Structure formats: structure tokens, C-alpha cells
């Protein structure tokens, strides 16, 4: 029996990688790789970019606007596919991505850079959504799980190449070339798409309406907290922060009224199993945004090269990927322990980072290794429970809303990335990060950043416990 199952698994992978679906697998893996490599290239080069064109107080906006554009374009990608077909949608996504890369390469100020990153995010968000949306349209159902695994594995591998590419360009003060090479890479990918992607019928059913109001609330809340990070006084920063919270509450009220929803029923109702599931997911992703600042801190406070700083920061992603693979096999009580243990590991990592990262005066190999271990723990904090949390989201959703739930998973993740980076920008700028020539101010910002996100990790511990209690109540 086990031998039979083994043969079926091997045959499935042959279909994905070598069989009739190999061409589609190459297209989808290429799209995911382009988006993932760009993220890590940009993060690794950003300290060098700031050193040349300035705009350190807008540091976090590079990730915030990139991800916010990705959210908005991801939300409309399904409708674009229905109206224009997959091939033309891929063309639009790749052209946007290439245009954004060229704008970023030619940036003479941070304002222009942010414009380029926003266009890049729009193209990347479309690519990311396209690749996952195509799975259900191209592969037979028995290959869906393997196709998902292929894209997840491709993402993890691609994330390892980004720091090397970005680090090399940053080492030689050639960050503009780092963006420029993305344009021909996008061109090669576009030729592969046009050659390999088969023509597909457009859907005949009526396209589902887009929840524009909820998307406006999401965008507004992220932008409000981002403007708070630029405020010259605590009062104005507090007002922007209050506005951000008000918009999130408005989003929840709108979803609770029903009608054209962005999320499945119950996600925005505090106390429900779905609310706790998505809240835990958002908190874990929210906390990992500290990774975005690590290349800067490792270079400025600990004297590491851009290449080494990029790879050490990438340990978060490595810890996430390895722990997720190991945890996916757990069931029952063992599975429940991983869901609770994840946030605890994250709290531990954050506290170590809060104590170790600001110590620039005593930077040595032992300290850098301790920081590296803490970053791994932060990644493990997400990966341990991640496969089970995603499963909970589908299990707690009614059958007719599971397609909406699958879409909501990516929306919540991207929102948590954008909002978390914006909050990180607020905390760091208010605690000395934007004092370019003041190393003590930068070190102080590192301490406050990790203490703040350690508190969020503690909240994730509480939510994970409440979620398991709710799950046990439902199963009884």
C-alpha cells in the first residue's frame, strides 16, 4: 500500500516538472521567482540607496507602498483575467514590473524611488496573484497540492538569491544596475510566457464585484500610519494613528453589514474562530516586518558588508521555510503545541534582538551570531504554526465561501506586511532612526523597534491560546 502511494506521488511530481504541465510550471515558477528576488534585492540595496539619494525617514515607505500597490492590484487581477485572458494579464503585469524597475533605477530622490517601487509593487502583486490563480484553471485537482508546493518551494529558493544579487551590486556602489537587471529578466520571462502559455478561454460567468470600499479603508489605514511616521510632533503622529485605527474599525463594520464582502463571514467578528485565525496570522506577519530594517542595522551598527547583512537578514525566511516543512506533518496535540510554540519562539527572538542589536560599541562575532540566532527564532515563530493556521482558515469557513477565504489569506498577509512596515517606520523615526549622522539615535531606534514588536508577539501568544480553545469547543 505504501509503495503504491509512493509511486503515485512520484508520478504526480513528474507531471508537474516533466510532463504535459511542465511548460505551465516553468511560467508560474518564473513569475514567483521574479517577484521574490526583487523583494530581497531591494531590501539588501536600500541602505546604499539611502546613502546616495537620501530619504532615510522614508525608509519604511519603500516596503509599505510596494506592498500596498500589490494589495490593490491583486484585488482586481481576477477580474482582469476574466476580461482579457491570462496571457494579456501576464503581459500587463510584466510591463508594470519592468517599468517600475526602470523608474527605480533612474531615481535621483527618494520620492522618485517610491514612485518606482509603487509601480513595481503593482506588477509584482499581479504576478503573485496570477501564478496562484492559474493553478485551479490549468492543473487537474489531484495536482493542485503539488503545484502549490512548487510555488512555495520556488519562493523560498528565490529568496536566497536576492541577497547575493543585491549585495554584489551594493558592494560596488552599483545599486542602479541592481534595478536595471530586473528589466531584462522581466523581458525574458515575458518571452517565455508568450511562447509557452497556451491560449485560454475567458470565463463566461459574470465577474464578481470588487469590494472597493473595503480596499479604500485598507489603503487609507496603511497610508495614515505611514504619514504618522513623518509627523514632526507627537500630537500629529497620534492623530494620524487614531485615523488609521478608525479606518480599520470602519472596515470591520462594513464587513459585518454583509453585502459585497472582501472576507468570509465571521472574519471581522471578534471572538469567532475565523477572527482569531486571521488575527493570529496577521500578528505573526506583522511582527516579521522587523526583518526589513536588519540590513540597515547590520551595516550601520555592526559594520557588516551589504552581502553579509542581506544574508543574515534572510535567516528569518530560512527559519520560516524549514520550520514550516518540519511542522506540516504534525497532527493532534503535537500540531496544537506548534501553534502555541511559534509565538513563544518569536517573543524570545524579539527580546534577544532588542538587547543585542543596539550594542554597536561591542560588536563582535559572538554578538552577530546571537543576532543571527534571534532572526532564525523569529522565522521559526511563523513557520511552526503556519501550515495549520492556513488549514484552520479553510476549515472554519463555510464551503461556499472557501474561494473567498483563499483570496483573503493573501489579502490579510499583504495588509499585515504593509501595515507592519508602516508601524515599524513610525516607531523607528520617532526614536532616532532618521538622525542620519547620529549612531546613538539609530541604535536607540533598534531597541525600541524590537521591544515594540516583542509586545505584539506576546499578543500573538494570547490569540494562539484562545484560538485552540475555540477550536476544541467547535470540535466537541
Amino acid at each position: 500500500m505504501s509503495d503504491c502511494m509512493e509511486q503515485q506521488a512520484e508520478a504526480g511530481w513528474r507531471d508537474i516538472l516533466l510532463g504535459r504541465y511542465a511548460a505551465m510550471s516553468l511560467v508560474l515558477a518564473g513569475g514567483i521567482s521574479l517577484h521574490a528576488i526583487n523583494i530581497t534585492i531591494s531590501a539588501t540595496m536600500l541602505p546604499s540607496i539611502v546613502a546616495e539619494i537620501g530619504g532615510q525617514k522614508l525608509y519604511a515607505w519603500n516596503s509599505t507602498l510596494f506592498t500596498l500597490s500589490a494589495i490593490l492590484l491583486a484585488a482586481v487581477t481576477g477580474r482582469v483575467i476574466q476580461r482579457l485572458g491570462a496571457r494579456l494579464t501576464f503581459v500587463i503585469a510584466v510591463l508594470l514590473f519592468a517599468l517600475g524597475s526602470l523608474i527605480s533605477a533612474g531615481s535621483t530622490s527618494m520620492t522618485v524611488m517610491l514612485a518606482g517601487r509603487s509601480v513595481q509593487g503593482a506588477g509584482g502583486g499581479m504576478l503573485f496573484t496570477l501564478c496562484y490563480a492559474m493553478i485551479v484553471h490549468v492543473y487537474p485537482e489531484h495536482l493542485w497540492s503539488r503545484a502549490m508546493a512548487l510555488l512555495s518551494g520556488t519562493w523560498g529558493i528565490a529568496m536566497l538569491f536576492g541577497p547575493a544579487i543585491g549585495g554584489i551590486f551594493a558592494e560596488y556602489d552599483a545599486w542602479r544596475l541592481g534595478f536595471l537587471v530586473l528589466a531584462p529578466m522581466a523581458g525574458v520571462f515575458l518571452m517565455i510566457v508568450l511562447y509557452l502559455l497556451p491560449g485560454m478561454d475567458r470565463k463566461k460567468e459574470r465577474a464578481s464585484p470588487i469590494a472597493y470600499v473595503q480596499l479604500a479603508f485598507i489603503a487609507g489605514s496603511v497610508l495614515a500610519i505611514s504619514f504618522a511616521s513623518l509627523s514632526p510632533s507627537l500630537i500629529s503622529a497620534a492623530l494620524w494613528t487614531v485615523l488609521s485605527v478608525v479606518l480599520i474599525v470602519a472596515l470591520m463594520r462594513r464587513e459585518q453589514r454583509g453585502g459585497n464582502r472582501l472576507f468570509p463571514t465571521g472574519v471581522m467578528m471578534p471572538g469567532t474562530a475565523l477572527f482569531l485565525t486571521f488575527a493570529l496570522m496577521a500578528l505573526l506577519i506583522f511582527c516579521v516586518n522587523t526583518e526589513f530594517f536588519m540590513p540597515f542595522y547590520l551595516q550601520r551598527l555592526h559594520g557588516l558588508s551589504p552581502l553579509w547583512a542581506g544574508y543574515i537578514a534572510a535567516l528569518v525566511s530560512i527559519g520560516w521555510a524549514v520550520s514550516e516543512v518540519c511542522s506540516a506533518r504534525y497532527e493532534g496535540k503535537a500540531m496544537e503545541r506548534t501553534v502555541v510554540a511559534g509565538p513563544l519562539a518569536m517573543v524570545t527572538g524579539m527580546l534577544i534582538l532588542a538587547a543585542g542589536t543596539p550594542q554597536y560599541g561591542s560588536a563582535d562575532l559572538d554578538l552577530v551570531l546571537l543576532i543571527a540566532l534571534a532572526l532564525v527564532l523569529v522565522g521559526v515563530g511563523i513557520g511552526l504554526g503556519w501550515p495549520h493556521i492556513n488549514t484552520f482558515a479553510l476549515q472554519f469557513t463555510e464551503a461556499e465561501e472557501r474561494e473567498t477565504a483563499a483570496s483573503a489569506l493573501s489579502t490579510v498577509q499583504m495588509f499585515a506586511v504593509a501595515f507592519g512596515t508602516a508601524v515599524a517606520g513610525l516607531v523607528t523615526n520617532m526614536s532616532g532612526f532618521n538622525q542620519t549622522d547620529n549612531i546613538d539615535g539609530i541604535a536607540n531606534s533598534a531597541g525600541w523597534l524590537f521591544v515594540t514588536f516583542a509586545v505584539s508577539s506576546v499578543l500573538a501568544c494570547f490569540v494562539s491560546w484562545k484560538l485552540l480553545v475555540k477550536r476544541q469547543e467547535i470540535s466537541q
Side-chain angles (χ1 to χ4, degrees):
M1 178 70 176
S2 61
D3 291 337
C4 179
M5 291 177 63
E6 227 173 76
Q7 290 173 358
Q8 288 177 349
E10 291 175 1
W13 279 115
R14 282 200 298 270
D15 288 339
I16 287 286
L17 300 175
L18 300 174
R20 58 181 292 197
Y21 301 107
M24 176 56 67
S25 298
L26 178 62
V27 169
L28 301 189
I32 290 292
S33 299
L34 199 59
H35 185 51
I37 289 175
N38 172 55
I39 290 174
T40 46
I41 283 179
S42 305
T44 304
M45 297 191 305
L46 195 52
S48 300
I49 295 170
V50 168
E52 180 175 330
I53 67 175
Q56 188 165 312
K57 66 180 181 180
L58 295 170
Y59 195 93
W61 281 64
N62 278 270
S63 174
T64 298
L65 292 184
F66 178 90
T67 310
L68 186 56
S69 295
I71 294 173
L72 299 178
L73 267 293
V76 302
T77 298
R79 174 172 285 187
V80 176
I81 295 173
Q82 291 173 332
R83 291 186 174 180
L84 302 180
R87 293 183 71 182
L88 188 53
T89 307
F90 264 111
V91 171
I92 294 171
V94 172
L95 290 179
L96 282 173
F97 181 87
L99 176 61
S101 301
L102 293 174
I103 295 172
S104 299
S107 299
T108 55
S109 68
M110 186 55 73
T111 303
V112 179
M113 174 63 69
L114 293 177
R117 294 287 288 152
S118 298
V119 177
Q120 261 194 335
M126 290 188 74
L127 273 177
F128 184 82
T129 306
L130 260 170
C131 291
Y132 278 93
M134 291 299 294
I135 288 176
V136 296
H137 295 295
V138 175
Y139 299 99
E141 186 172 351
H142 72 278
L143 292 179
W144 285 358
S145 61
R146 292 181 177 86
M148 290 283 189
L150 172 67
L151 297 193
S152 297
T154 301
W155 179 275
I157 294 171
M159 291 291 279
L160 296 178
F161 285 99
I165 299 171
I168 290 171
F169 285 114
E171 290 272 8
Y172 292 98
D173 295 322
W175 61 266
R176 296 181 189 278
L177 286 176
F179 284 115
L180 280 175
V181 298
L182 291 172
M185 287 172 63
V188 171
F189 173 68
L190 181 58
M191 288 189 289
I192 293 174
V193 168
L194 294 175
Y195 181 73
L196 295 180
L197 191 66
M200 298 176 63
D201 293 335
R202 301 169 192 174
K203 289 187 173 182
K204 302 302 181 183
E205 68 265 22
R206 183 181 178 184
S208 56
I210 297 172
Y212 288 110
V213 175
Q214 290 93 315
L215 288 173
F217 287 147
I218 287 176
S221 66
V222 171
L223 290 175
I225 200 71
S226 298
F227 282 122
S229 70
L230 302 179
S231 299
S233 68
L234 284 173
I235 294 177
S236 59
L239 291 175
W240 280 112
T241 303
V242 169
L243 175 60
S244 179
V245 173
V246 168
L247 289 171
I248 292 175
V249 172
L251 168 66
M252 296 176 68
R253 292 282 180 85
R254 177 79 179 191
E255 284 285 306
Q256 290 169 4
R257 287 204 300 265
N260 185 22
R261 286 198 182 95
L262 190 61
F263 305 104
T265 306
V267 169
M268 292 297 171
M269 296 178 182
T272 65
L274 272 177
F275 175 84
L276 293 170
T277 301
F278 279 86
L280 179 56
M281 177 182 297
L283 283 168
L284 293 175
I285 295 291
F286 176 83
C287 293
V288 83
N289 285 286
T290 52
E291 175 191 12
F292 182 70
F293 285 82
M294 283 311 299
F296 183 91
Y297 287 136
L298 290 170
Q299 291 179 54
R300 289 297 302 275
L301 298 179
H302 301 286
L304 296 184
S305 68
L307 182 61
W308 277 108
Y311 266 111
I312 291 177
L315 288 174
V316 174
S317 299
I318 295 172
W320 181 348
V322 173
S323 61
E324 183 174 354
V325 170
C326 295
S327 176
R329 61 190 175 90
Y330 292 126
E331 297 178 356
K333 293 294 182 182
M335 176 270 292
E336 293 180 352
R337 285 194 292 269
T338 63
V339 173
V340 174
L344 291 173
M346 182 172 285
V347 171
T348 305
M350 289 294 179
L351 291 176
I352 295 174
L353 290 171
T357 307
Q359 296 183 31
Y360 66 92
S362 59
D364 55 19
L365 180 60
D366 290 339
L367 182 57
V368 171
L369 289 176
L370 183 63
I371 291 173
L373 173 62
L375 290 169
V376 172
L377 285 174
V378 172
V380 168
I382 300 179
L384 275 179
W386 196 251
H388 312 299
I389 297 168
N390 279 268
T391 302
F392 291 168
L394 297 178
Q395 289 176 341
F396 295 146
T397 303
E398 297 296 332
E400 62 271 15
E401 289 190 296
R402 282 182 180 161
E403 186 174 343
T404 302
S407 175
L409 289 174
S410 62
T411 301
V412 169
Q413 290 177 51
M414 287 190 286
F415 172 70
V417 169
F419 195 83
T421 309
V423 170
L426 171 63
V427 172
T428 53
N429 283 346
M430 297 298 290
S431 56
F433 181 82
N434 58 1
Q435 299 172 16
T436 309
D437 299 322
N438 184 355
I439 195 72
D440 289 323
I442 294 173
N444 184 60
S445 73
W448 277 105
L449 174 66
F450 294 116
V451 166
T452 301
F453 281 81
V455 173
S456 300
S457 302
V458 171
L459 180 58
C461 292
F462 174 74
V463 173
S464 67
W465 174 74
K466 291 287 290 182
L467 173 60
L468 291 181
V469 170
K470 177 64 70 172
R471 182 173 180 270
Q472 290 170 0
E473 290 175 357
I474 293 174
S475 61
Q476 289 175 354

